[in-house]
Amino acid sequence: MKKVTKISIFIFTLLGLGLSAYLCKIYYDANFNPYALASFCSVSEFVDCDGVARTTYSQFFGIPLCLWGVFFYLFVMAMLFSDKLAKFKLFRFMEVFKNPQSYIFCLALLSFCISMGLAGISLFEIHKICVLCITTYLVDLALAIIAKDFSKSLIFELKQSISDFIDAIKIKKYLIAFVAVVVAFLGVLTYTTLSNVLTPQVKSMKVKFSSDKTYPTEGNVMGKPDAKVTIHEYFDYNCASCYMLGISLERIMTELDDVRIVQHNMPLDSACNPLLQTGGHEGSCQMARYALAAKKQGKFREVHEIFFDKTPATEEEILQLLKQDRTIDIKQLQEDANSPEIKAELKQEIDEAISKEIDATPTVIINMEKITGNLPYYTMKEKLMKLGATEKNNG
């Protein structure tokens, strides 16, 4: 491999690795960190890295795409220095990589083709783009171009890569090692796919709000007024952890007596929240206003659950979703949602939350105790029972 080619590949691989690592931070903040504000590359409803990270398309087999990117660039780096690594006993197996430049070209080309598919999903399915993701797509293309040996055809390089792989696994010790790695890899993929430990947004799609309401509800209040335990829940419709907490609280309502839940909007969106100067969870203020408007028609609960299930990004999407419920007066709903009265009501909710020093979602106040973050279901249930809630007799 020519020195200039090797240096160029190294620079672009380092760039791709850095971008993928930063995308992992964005992914973590968007899906796991209730305190996180919007990333610098979430600037509008369309250019929204955080929004893309929260979708189910941001993972493959339960592993975030950013981690797949990290694995890819680390592999390219290993190929780049395979001749030097092979001199160490621990990496002696790398002697089987005879044509690293061809492997880098083939993998970079494959990665770019996959990236084009992901770009199509962003544009036509999610209707959002991640500018950092697009930058990694261009890095993959650059790697493919730099690593391409133009004296050889594409078919030749593909055949050469496959032939080298077959020659490598003809050696018994490498075949055993390869099989062991594949088995371990499939085991990890099975675990991440089934557990969704790295993908709460996928997990939330599999869990829905219960349609069997065995407890009284009125607007944003669930449970009896004289309950021994009152939970004040502060949420944001664009908060995945809030969605999961909401489902846990509904389950608690079906299993425990003497619990009352009062739900409050706390959109982390600069459009209505003075705590944020710019950005945030864009669209959250708009959904909050429509939920409050729906409350006037006695449809808060239905709209609340639709917003968490679908998280519409624009007013047009909101109206299209809610038109499916023919019991809602859409014209009146739109008028109310944009009225000074509803805007003032939302401002009052936010101001009250701020006065209680609430600056993140989800946050709950249980009988005066403030807890930020998504408590595990059984931890929450145990705490409520200690405060006086009792198991329902559902038999």
Side-chain angles (χ1 to χ4, degrees), residues 4-57:
V4 65
T5 300
K6 195 167 187 175
I7 292 173
S8 299
I9 291 175
F10 176 77
I11 291 171
F12 277 96
T13 303
L14 207 58
L15 174 61
L17 190 59
L19 287 168
S20 295
Y22 191 75
L23 282 167
C24 285
K25 180 186 181 302
I26 290 175
Y27 180 91
Y28 173 80
D29 285 343
N31 292 290
F32 292 96
N33 185 1
Y35 300 97
L37 298 179
S39 64
F40 80 94
C41 56
S42 290
V43 296
S44 69
E45 291 179 357
F46 182 61
V47 182
D48 185 3
C49 295
D50 297 358
V52 173
R54 291 190 192 99
T55 69
T56 57
Y57 295 105

Side-chain angles (χ1 to χ4, degrees), residues 177-198:
F178 174 73
V179 171
V181 169
V182 169
V183 169
F185 180 64
L186 291 176
V188 170
L189 288 187
T190 301
Y191 172 71
T192 54
T193 302
L194 295 178
S195 69
N196 294 306
V197 65
L198 300 177

Side-chain angles (χ1 to χ4, degrees), residues 1 4 34 40 44 76 116 133 139 177 179-180 218 267 334 352-353 383:
M1 191 184 304
V4 65
F40 80 94
S44 69
V76 171
M116 290 301 95
C133 301
V139 168
V179 171
E218 183 177 351
Q334 186 175 19
E352 286 180 1
K383 176 180 284 290

